[in-house]
Amino acid sequence: MAAAAVLLVGGRSTRMGHSKAELTWHGQSFADRIARVLLRATGGPLVVVAAPGQPLPPLPPAAQVVTDEREGRGPLEGIAAGLRALPGDAVAYVSSTDVPLLHPALVRHVITAVEADVDIAVCETESRFHPLAGAYRATVLPAVESLLEDDRLRPRELFGRVQTRVLDAEVLLADPSVSRLDPSLSSLMNLNDPADYERAHSLELPELPVETFGTLRENGRGSTSVRAATLGALARTVGITLDEHVVAALNGDQITNDGAAPLVAGDEIAFFSADGGG
Amino acid sequence: MTVGNGSVPAGYFGSLLDIDLSACRHARHPLPEALLRDYVGGCGLGARLLYDRAPARVDPLAPDAPLIFTFSPLVGTPLTTSAKFAVVAKSPLTGFVNDAMCSSHFAIAGKLTGHDAISLRGACDSPTVVVIDGGGARLEPAGELWGLSAAATESSLRESLGHRYRISAIGPAGERLVRYATLSHDGRHAGRGGLGAVLGAKLVKAVAVAPSQKVASAEPERVLALARELRERSFGPATAKYRELGTLGNLLAFNAISTLPTRNFQEAQFEGAPQLAAEEIAGLRERTRSSCASCTIGCEHIYATDDGSELRVEYENVFALGPLCGVADADAVLEASRRCDEYGIDTISAGGTIAFAMECVERGLLAAPWLRFGDGAALLRAVEEIGERRGLGDLLAEGSKRVAEELGGGSDSFAPHVKGLELPGYEPRTLQSMALGLAVNPRGADHNRSGAYEADMSGEHDRLEGGPPHVAAAIATENRAALVDSLILCKFLRGVFSEPVAEWAELLAAVSGWDVTPAELEQTARRIVLTKRLFNQREGWVADDDWLPDRLLAEPVKLASGRSGALPPERLRAMIDGYYEGRGLDAWGTPTPETLAAHGLSTP
Ligand code: SF4
């Protein structure tokens, strides 16, 4: 199984009154943020599905952009376009773009829930499916296409046709990573109108521990904590410029000097000299 | 003065001084311009001279095995960090090519003896000092110097010969043929691969050089302008780490990203790292900064030890004697490092071999119950026994590869070496470009001839998922190291170059007067790497020698993120195959006839 992701950015956003993909979350477009969260969670290919001619904000270089064949036909059309662009053995987390609090831990949980006998794992809260918070085997594409051919556009019909595992709040929170890092399942909180958008912005960003090493330590102080949505914003707060000489490690793992890297609850950031010569 | 005189290019003397120690004779041999241009100087020129001058399959400790000092075109110019020399010989530790570098005034004085290379072969009947000055070369009895540390030998000889003389000397470990004994000058070591033992086997305690000639660049004004500009750049952010904390500044950061080899590569994080970190030690102990001759960076951070003596502290010696042996006691680690310096022992190989022995004790393969991970006193005892080839030290002085052969019991699977050279402080499972660089490098597991960790730590690829980008990075960094070690400039300057090869071509052109282009230098780099492979091939290298210890391929390490750093053998195989292809080697790692022809080389 190869973990992958599909990000649908082409919805109509009627209630929001503005393209959701271009809305910003603490200075970064929703589309860019979610694309990067998905890349981080899966490490695999990422397909961004847009409407034909839709203007897009800058996206990470790894994103492959495809367009909906037919506009305005709901999520199944986008899911089909995304799955078509992926290898046959992929299991893709499919996401909308209006979930700025999406956490990689939830994405990983949903993908791993697609076990050998499962085709789709989909989140459900308050008896409502979240088809754009689910993981789909690329092999369900013929089933999706046949529904589209018959103009049957409701995802629920797809879930009835293939082996679908429903992940309710209890199941999701039984995963210690999810319960620690996203205890209120904010990953599933999609923003539909300006009031949702306002409300989300009034939430405090998580406080993240930061370590600086070597010459980056000021007055010998190596540890602090900062609230920030991206690595660039966090670096600015602690007075560090990310460039070819200074890099950061996220959680002791991924090394980057990309200021657009999204930060999420539970992240630990270490800044150090990129020159490891010794 | 020699300025592009006849067939001798500016910046060179076009000369090799060949000293036959057995016959007490020396002769000057011309070095053709084409050879100098093909190999530049330093490690490159040394590799070629070794290939030409060493009898095939010679025992590295036999009289016939040559040991060659090579200088470089940039030595003696005002270019910052250029005062360096290379020492090249067949390694008694690996049986393959070994080129170690050292810095400072010996480089300048050695070159100004009027030679681009000084080769020693044969052996003396009794302990000897080789003296090279305006009068030629002569052999003087070492007398009471035998048994002294390199530093004491150096001071004593400068007193007796005069302060014009600069000295490279071996310590007691070199005399006792410890297979990883160093050769040192002014407190710095040509550290890896056992060059000290090669000199010790020849009964040469020291080589003293005094300048008697001058050399000029083809375009002195231009060289001066380039030197000024480079000097300015050397004060910038690219060298801040080296200036302000020294290489020990790596330790805490490496620990945070799980690339600090711990307890013989059983883990990649060390709970005692904070006690050993530069950030901590720097605040606790008095220290001064020092630099090699002609250097504007000054990466050397000198710490005070308890008895008031001074000690150069670097990442590699602290890593190898600290985390690798599980020792968190800074006093013990610094003292072990000081004793290694005094005996003249490579700290990386010493730490690697001791850590390996500690694990063998744990597993019941070695009966030395006193030798435990984490025990500072045991570490000090082990260093002493190695330096004196006493007790268990007589076995450990052979290096981890030979110790594993002696102990058996499957210990070769966790003996921390490649080709016999102990691994440096860069965890291969979490730095997978570096893993490849360590596996294929002709010198063995070495971070100086293969700096692929640079790419792993730049964030340009996932350091845990070795693949084609990692192969490209390993080849590119190995090429750059081949050039910088031949020109010679200090590696710690490398971050200041935005177009390194083009800028180096410009420097070499201004010094030598050659119309050298970046493309020519790229080819030179490849030729140097190939020449080392050809030497190894002639000495018995087989494709299996390009590999890593089984432990690194079988036991993943955990990262703080929860991800595993795993390097399955098939991934390493694929990267090595990619490397062979990228270098123009066949599937067994041997240069193809086309590759040889393209670089003006022929088969052994
Ligand atoms: S940076 Fe350090 S090792 Fe390099 S030349 Fe300067 S003092 Fe010597």
Side-chain angles (χ1 to χ4, degrees), chain B residues 81 84 103 290-292 295 297-300 490 492:
Chain B
T81 78
K84 290 184 180 284
S103 310
S290 170
S291 68
C292 305
C295 173
I297 300 174
C299 72
E300 297 184 340
C490 182
F492 297 164

Side-chain angles (χ1 to χ4, degrees), chain B residues 19 129-133 136-140 157 161 165 206-209:
Chain B
I19 302 174
V129 175
V130 178
V131 182
I132 305 160
D133 54 22
R138 60 185 189 278
L139 307 182
E140 294 191 354
L157 276 174
L161 292 170
Y165 286 83
V207 176
V209 291

Side-chain angles (χ1 to χ4, degrees), chain B residues 112-438:
Chain B
L112 295 183
T113 58
H115 306 284
D116 303 306
I118 297 170
S119 166
L120 306 180
R121 63 193 165 90
C124 305
D125 294 333
S126 57
T128 296
V129 175
V130 178
V131 182
I132 305 160
D133 54 22
R138 60 185 189 278
L139 307 182
E140 294 191 354
E144 289 171 359
L145 298 174
W146 201 250
L148 293 187
S149 71
T153 303
E154 204 169 328
S155 343
S156 168
L157 276 174
R158 289 193 77 206
E159 279 307 312
S160 59
L161 292 170
H163 284 262
R164 279 187 328 118
Y165 286 83
R166 299 291 179 171
I167 320 293
S168 271
I170 62 170
E175 297 168 10
R176 296 182 180 119
L177 310 185
V178 173
R179 284 186 190 269
Y180 42 91
T182 67
L183 169 66
S184 44
H185 164 61
D186 196 19
R188 298 162 184 89
H189 298 265
R192 304 230 64 196
L195 296 166
V198 177
L199 267 194
K202 297 185 182 309
L203 292 180
V204 171
K205 178 68 181 173
V207 176
V209 291
S212 59
Q213 311 264 321
K214 285 187 175 165
V215 66
S217 301
E219 297 179 66
E221 291 302 317
R222 178 139 187 70
V223 173
L224 201 59
L226 289 166
R228 275 201 205 104
E229 197 216 333
L230 202 54
R231 176 189 151 87
E232 282 313 305
R233 282 196 269 163
S234 77
F235 298 134
T239 57
K241 182 187 93 180
Y242 301 113
R243 283 196 314 271
E244 292 170 31
L245 274 180
T247 58
L248 186 55
N250 285 343
L251 193 96
L252 274 189
F254 280 24
N255 193 46
I257 60 170
S258 299
T259 187
L260 178 64
T262 297
R263 285 181 273 270
N264 193 33
F265 290 83
Q266 295 183 81
E267 295 142 277
Q269 287 189 305
F270 183 47
E271 66 286 351
Q275 286 107 284
L276 299 172
E279 292 88 334
E280 300 302 321
I281 295 182
L284 295 176
R285 292 161 196 273
E286 281 182 40
R287 53 167 193 154
T288 53
R289 251 177 75 205
S290 170
S291 68
C292 305
S294 313
C295 173
T296 48
I297 300 174
C299 72
E300 297 184 340
H301 291 257
I302 316 261
Y303 291 75
T305 59
D306 286 344
D307 64 1
S309 58
E310 291 191 329
L311 178 65
R312 275 184 179 78
V313 176
E314 289 174 23
Y315 168 66
E316 287 293 346
N317 49 11
V318 173
F319 131 76
L321 299 165
L324 198 60
C325 295
V327 178
D329 172 355
D331 289 328
V333 172
L334 296 187
E335 177 58 17
S337 181
R338 193 184 64 77
R339 289 189 199 176
C340 283
D341 268 4
E342 223 166 81
Y343 286 118
I345 305 175
D346 173 24
T347 48
I348 302 177
S349 282
T353 306
I354 293 169
F356 169 64
M358 286 170 163
E359 187 170 348
C360 288
V361 170
E362 247 179 21
R363 290 172 177 246
L365 294 167
L366 182 60
W370 55 272
L371 191 59
R372 295 273 169 207
F373 280 121
D375 184 336
L379 170 72
L380 291 171
R381 175 174 165 188
V383 167
E384 257 176 36
E385 292 195 1
I386 291 168
E388 290 165 18
R389 268 202 180 264
R390 175 163 55 77
L392 179 63
D394 195 36
L395 174 64
L396 302 190
E398 296 291 296
S400 59
K401 178 173 183 244
R402 286 178 175 78
V403 176
E405 282 163 6
E406 175 74 25
L407 299 181
S411 58
D412 58 337
S413 69
F414 58 93
H417 70 86
V418 173
K419 302 181 177 72
L421 190 71
E422 281 70 23
L423 289 149
Y426 297 84
E427 169 55 59
R429 286 161 288 195
T430 57
L431 297 169
Q432 297 197 355
S433 300
M434 190 60 185
L436 173 62
L438 293 170

Side-chain angles (χ1 to χ4, degrees), chain B residues 480 483 487 494 497-507 521:
Chain B
R480 287 202 293 274
L483 289 176
L487 281 164
R494 66 187 180 275
F497 298 105
S498 45
E499 295 284 339
V501 181
E503 293 177 57
W504 298 338
E506 194 183 356
L507 295 178
L521 272 195

